[in-house]
């Protein structure tokens, strides 16, 4: 297995929990049905199959039918973890904007997503709803990773408290809190070439003064994206794009 950092070409990517080390792979279940019934892939077409943890198989379709997609393996490689690591601490948005925030952040390259129950969150994940909420966010991340042909799925953690978020910020190589009243622009901060970069996005009602003080005490810098105030569901993706332009995309 070779180790490289290729950009997956136009061939679709399918994800399996485990990739067998065999000359031929079967993509079954919903993944296989999507390939056969929606994409209508035919024998001879090129595809990628990954495990969501960086290992990718490139191969050709040899059969497409009721059992799924059979792929003849041509090459197997591993895509290294990106550097710096991008972490998004996302306050729980209301309605379906949580999965939307996850979708956009995944497409923009986030590596870890931390749900955060901020003081002014309208949405509340009660104890009996945490598992369902996390599962919904993880499903959104998986779907977005396939669409954007990402060989590594972002991790969606269990929800964190404000105190736990402060610990995360203290350990980061760069930690920023998006705040509409901040004077310093995000574009003015140097991005470390390696390590961990954490971005905190507050809820629709905004951050409390206490949260801002706690985060700054933990080492985070309050920054603004620009003159406009973005929705909580889009602000994280915008910040990730701004950071990527000066690091991963440079």
């Amino acid at each position: 297995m070779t180790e490289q950092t290729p950009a997956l070409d136009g061939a679709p990517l399918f994800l399996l929990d485990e990739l067998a080390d065999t000359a031929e792979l079967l993509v079954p279940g919903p993944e296989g049905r999507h390939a056969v019934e929606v994409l209508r892939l035919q024998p001879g077409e090129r595809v990628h199959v990954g495990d969501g943890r960086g290992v990718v198989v490139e191969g050709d379709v040899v059969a497409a039918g009721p059992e799924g997609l059979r792929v003849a393996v041509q090459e197997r490689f591993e895509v290294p973890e990106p550097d710096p690591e991008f972490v998004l601490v996302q306050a729980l948005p209301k309605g379906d904007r949580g999965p939307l925030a996850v979708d956009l952040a995944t497409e923009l390259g986030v590596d870890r997503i931390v749900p955060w129950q901020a003081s002014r969150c309208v949405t509340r994940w009660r104890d009996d709803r945490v598992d369902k909420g996390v599962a919904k966010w993880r499903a959104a991340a998986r779907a977005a990773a396939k669409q954007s042909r990402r060989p590594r799925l972002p991790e969606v953690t269990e929800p964190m408290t404000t105190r736990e978020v402060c610990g995360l910020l203290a350990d980061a190589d760069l930690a920023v809190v998006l705040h509409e009243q901040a004077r310093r622009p995000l574009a003015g901060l140097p991005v470390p070439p390696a390590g961990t970069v954490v971005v905190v996005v507050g809820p629709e009602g905004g951050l409390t003064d206490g949260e801002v003080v706690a985060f700054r005490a933990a080492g985070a810098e309050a920054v603004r994206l620009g003159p406009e105030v973005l929705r909580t569901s889009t602000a994280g993706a915008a910040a990730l794009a701004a950071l990527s332009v000066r690091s991963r995309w440079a």
Side-chain angles (χ1 to χ4, degrees):
M1 181 170 63
T2 60
E3 183 171 312
Q4 51 182 326
T5 53
L8 301 189
D9 58 24
L13 170 68
F14 302 97
L15 295 175
L16 299 178
D17 291 335
E18 298 293 337
L19 286 181
D21 190 9
T22 56
E24 187 174 291
L25 290 175
L26 172 65
V27 182
E31 293 278 276
R33 288 195 297 273
H34 180 76
V36 175
E37 299 173 5
V38 178
L39 299 182
R40 298 188 178 277
L41 294 176
Q42 299 296 320
E45 294 192 70
R46 182 59 54 99
V47 298
H48 294 106
V49 185
D51 64 358
R53 298 181 296 277
V55 177
V56 179
V57 161
E58 186 174 10
D60 298 322
V61 176
V62 295
E67 66 175 351
L69 201 69
R70 288 200 172 273
V71 179
V73 176
Q74 303 297 330
E75 183 181 6
R76 180 183 295 255
F77 54 86
E78 182 172 2
V79 179
E81 296 181 9
D83 218 4
E85 177 194 24
F86 289 156
V87 180
L88 174 64
V89 176
Q90 175 65 60
L92 304 181
K94 59 185 179 182
D96 291 331
R97 290 177 181 168
L100 173 61
V102 171
D103 181 293
L104 295 175
T106 299
E107 291 183 30
L108 270 298
V110 73
D111 301 299
R112 200 178 350 150
I113 302 172
V114 178
W116 170 44
Q117 185 73 69
S119 296
R120 292 176 176 167
C121 282
V122 175
T123 295
R124 295 284 168 180
W125 284 0
R126 299 187 302 271
D127 290 345
D128 59 341
R129 295 183 60 187
V130 170
D131 289 346
K132 182 178 180 180
V134 170
K136 194 171 184 179
W137 282 30
R138 287 174 177 167
R142 186 181 183 89
K146 289 192 297 180
Q147 187 278 328
S148 54
R149 299 191 179 100
R150 284 189 52 170
R152 289 183 177 274
L153 288 174
E155 176 190 4
V156 178
T157 74
E158 295 294 315
M160 284 191 181
T161 64
T162 298
R163 182 185 295 273
E164 290 170 327
V165 171
C166 287
L168 183 65
L169 299 176
D171 292 335
D173 296 275
L174 173 64
V176 298
V177 179
L178 303 186
H179 197 294
E180 67 274 12
Q181 296 179 8
R183 295 184 178 181
R184 188 167 189 181
L186 176 60
L189 291 181
V191 181
T196 301
V197 176
V198 181
V199 177
V200 179
V201 177
E204 289 89 351
L207 299 165
T208 66
D209 291 342
E211 288 167 342
V212 175
V213 169
F215 292 157
R216 294 186 70 171
E221 176 121 22
V223 298
R224 57 178 173 81
L225 282 172
E228 294 83 12
V229 178
L230 302 184
R231 292 183 184 274
T232 183
S233 53
T234 56
L240 290 167
L243 292 166
S244 292
V245 166
R246 294 181 293 124
S247 56
R248 296 181 181 179
W249 300 348

